[in-house]
Amino acid sequence: MPRVYAALMVAMGCLCGTVASAETILFANLTNAQENPPAVPMTTTGDPRPASGGTAMFILNDAMTSLSFAVTINNIDFTGTQTSDPNDNLTLAHIHAPAPPGQNAAVVWGFIGMPFNDTNPTDTVIVPFTTGVGGMVMTKWDAPEGNNTTLAAQLANILANRSYINFHTVQFPGGEVRGQILVQDGPTAPVPEPSTMLMVGFGSAALVRYARRRRKGDV
């Protein structure tokens, strides 16, 4: 695990590598407002706490047999010790489908907590922030995996922007922060802000380096 983490951090820092043209790039901007109903983060005493959110960048390989992604989440406690209040503690994280924006759907693949479907093999790497509140998750949904489904069975939903990524907390067991997964080069893709494009660049480099090292067996 440490060597995977080191390779990803180096790749994110230098933006080395490129994404193969046959691969499909997807992106999600995670917010409290996308939850249904919208999440309003509060402490256990009823005081407001900082809004949580994040960004996720996905690469669907050219064979469409794996979906690799990296997610950065802010203001959700990844360790239970980043803040003193338990309401923001991370409990679960999943991909859900089929769902147009704003609609809820069943879990199709879980990578933190239950159900945990990243089993063939297990790829999930969780990196809490060393300062501040939040962390990064890097993982891969492989073809044989799924929560009573498979990646192949969900490709139509994913490529039609009918899936979302969801992070759950103690305060919001149904989900505190979520983002619709959008194909970046598809007809329904939004025009990203410059900061979003920078995040996509960092994520692309990290995922490409991770995929190359896995193919070589150097993980």
Side-chain angles (χ1 to χ4, degrees):
M1 288 299 184
R3 297 181 70 186
V4 172
Y5 170 53
L8 284 163
M9 295 303 100
V10 169
M12 283 192 163
C14 67
L15 289 177
C16 56
T18 57
V19 178
S21 60
E23 294 172 334
T24 303
I25 308 302
L26 306 96
F27 186 80
N29 181 38
L30 291 84
T31 64
N32 301 133
Q34 290 179 74
E35 293 289 354
N36 181 14
V40 180
M42 307 287 287
T43 67
T44 53
T45 58
D47 296 318
R49 58 181 173 86
S52 46
T55 53
M57 186 266 177
F58 305 77
I59 297 176
L60 179 65
N61 69 345
D62 53 0
M64 295 190 174
T65 57
S66 69
L67 182 69
S68 301
F69 59 97
V71 193
T72 301
I73 298 292
N74 296 292
N75 293 323
I76 287 180
D77 189 338
F78 270 54
T79 65
T81 61
Q82 292 177 322
T83 71
S84 59
D85 192 278
N87 262 11
D88 61 359
N89 288 359
L90 176 63
T91 56
L92 310 168
H94 313 119
I95 292 176
H96 298 245
Q103 294 189 17
N104 295 330
V107 174
V108 292
W109 190 71
F111 56 97
I112 294 176
M114 298 299 293
F116 185 78
N117 307 119
D118 179 24
T119 57
N120 194 12
T122 299
D123 300 287
T124 300
V125 179
I126 301 173
V127 185
F129 293 161
T130 56
T131 59
V133 181
M136 173 177 282
V137 181
M138 293 149 281
T139 188
K140 180 161 65 77
W141 182 357
D142 294 291
E145 302 167 347
N147 189 49
N148 300 315
T149 186
T150 63
L151 177 60
Q154 296 302 322
L155 281 176
N157 290 321
I158 294 168
L159 295 175
N161 302 332
R162 295 196 304 264
S163 65
Y164 61 91
I165 185 169
N166 201 17
F167 281 73
H168 307 245
T169 61
V170 169
Q171 183 186 359
F172 295 102
E176 175 164 326
V177 61
R178 94 185 208 187
Q180 202 75 13
I181 300 173
L182 304 173
V183 178
Q184 285 300 288
D185 56 358
T188 60
V191 177
E193 296 292 330
S195 59
T196 296
M197 291 304 296
L198 182 60
M199 287 297 299
V200 170
F202 280 130
S204 297
L207 289 170
V208 168
R209 175 61 66 88
Y210 182 36
R212 286 175 177 172
R213 291 180 70 88
R214 284 191 62 82
R215 283 197 294 268
K216 294 177 181 179
D218 186 17
V219 294

